[in-house]
Amino acid sequence: MIEFNRVGKSYGGVRALDDVSFTVGAGSITGFLGPNGAGKSTAMRVLAGLSRPSSGAATVLGRPYAELDRPGSQVGVLLDASAQHPGRTGREVLTLGAMMLGLPASRVDEVLDLVGLTGQEARRRVGGYSLGMRQRLGVGHALLGRPRVLVLDEPANGLDPQGIRWMRGLLRGLAEAGCAILLSSHLLHEVEQVADRIVMIGRGRVLAQGTLAELGRGRSLEQLFLDLTATTDRSPA
Ligand SMILES: Nc1ncnc2c1ncn2[C@@H]1O[C@H](COP(=O)(O)OP(=O)(O)OP(=O)(O)O)[C@@H](O)[C@H]1O
């Protein structure tokens, strides 16, 4: 459902992605890991059509994002939970999103319920939201069109323990319903619990991919991460 095929991306002399290939299938959650500056957000931006690859191709449901019919209904994207207009209320953000997708207003209430934002919270301006509330709103925005593919950049960042548990249940439920989920996170313990597969990158290159059992061979995800990234610098060449 998600496919990176030899994707490269350069910014001037900086090689942010170098020959990146992996897939995410229906009904599975892939944890996308790597140190700061490894290229995770760049890869997700390329996948969501916000940035052009310098080489190779990233496709969703067999096509580049920009060529999808009604992409917002097929692919849910959360790249920056703080990107929402601070002057709008949570309900306004979701209502505008629903209008863009041609969805009934009732979907806004369903989504608020799904992400655990109360009616009172939804009436507040996003500028006054905590990071955790913004994450819930961002996930809700991504889920509006009941997409089959989800691309989430650090959605658990800023959530409290209850929020993290809620997110885990939500993502597992979506995957069980057939959704393909690409999830970046620095919360390794969380990824360990929720992801079926791991793709680890460093300096823009895929360092390892597979199930944790295949890759870890008894090591925790944290130890695997530290072992694999010990030999790579944080930033691209
Ligand atoms: N618009 C840009 N212009 C120039 N360089 C960029 C741009 N976007 C990203 N980079 C560089 O590309 C590299 C990869 O950055 P990216 O944000 O994708 O990493 P990341 O793995 O998401 O990091 P983090 O875990 O810190 O979010 C970094 O060296 C970054 O400085």
Side-chain angles (χ1 to χ4, degrees):
M1 283 209 169
I2 293 175
E3 184 169 7
F4 282 81
N5 187 5
R6 310 206 62 178
V7 173
K9 175 71 189 175
S10 297
Y11 293 106
V14 177
R15 192 118 183 94
L17 296 175
D18 189 0
D19 206 16
V20 169
S21 296
F22 67 90
T23 58
V24 182
S28 89
I29 303 177
T30 290
F32 194 30
L33 310 178
N36 291 131
K40 304 176 297 294
S41 300
T42 301
M44 288 174 145
R45 289 179 60 80
V46 167
L47 185 64
L50 295 169
S51 185
R52 268 175 171 278
S54 310
S55 56
T59 55
V60 200
L61 300 163
R63 293 190 195 176
Y65 182 92
E67 291 175 20
L68 288 171
D69 182 32
R70 293 165 53 86
S73 301
Q74 308 209 51
V75 188
V77 179
L78 171 62
L79 291 183
D80 181 359
S82 299
Q84 301 291 357
H85 193 302
R88 295 200 177 114
T89 67
R91 177 176 286 281
E92 284 167 353
V93 168
L94 294 179
T95 302
L96 280 169
M99 282 167 66
M100 303 270 283
L101 296 175
L103 300 168
S106 56
R107 181 65 185 150
V108 172
D109 291 297
E110 285 171 13
V111 162
L112 285 170
D113 208 32
L114 196 61
V115 300
L117 285 173
T118 64
Q120 200 183 14
E121 288 167 336
R123 284 192 292 277
R124 283 172 49 192
R125 289 181 202 277
V126 174
Y129 275 21
S130 68
L131 180 53
M133 288 165 73
R134 271 182 244 163
Q135 295 284 28
R136 286 174 186 265
L137 181 65
V139 171
H141 195 264
L143 291 176
L144 271 172
R146 295 193 177 83
R148 286 190 287 158
V149 177
L150 273 178
V151 180
L152 306 173
D153 197 359
E154 304 204 34
N157 185 18
L159 289 177
D160 60 19
Q162 273 126 324
I164 288 178
R165 173 178 284 199
W166 159 78
M167 177 80 72
R168 190 191 308 151
L170 178 74
L171 296 184
R172 285 265 38 120
L174 290 164
E176 275 159 28
C179 213
I181 304 176
L182 180 64
L183 165 77
S184 85
S185 180
H186 290 295
L187 302 173
L188 299 182
H189 180 64
E190 195 43 42
V191 172
E192 199 162 32
Q193 297 199 44
V194 82
D196 306 296
R197 286 176 60 81
I198 305 293
V199 173
M200 189 98 64
I201 65 169
R203 298 180 75 184
R205 295 186 72 93
V206 174
L207 302 174
Q209 57 178 305
T211 64
L212 183 59
E214 286 163 4
L215 299 176
R217 294 198 211 98
R219 284 174 293 181
S220 67
L221 184 57
E222 183 183 40
Q223 195 55 53
L224 175 70
F225 183 96
L226 294 173
D227 289 348
L228 283 171
T229 56
T231 50
T232 57
D233 217 358
R234 288 192 320 143
S235 43

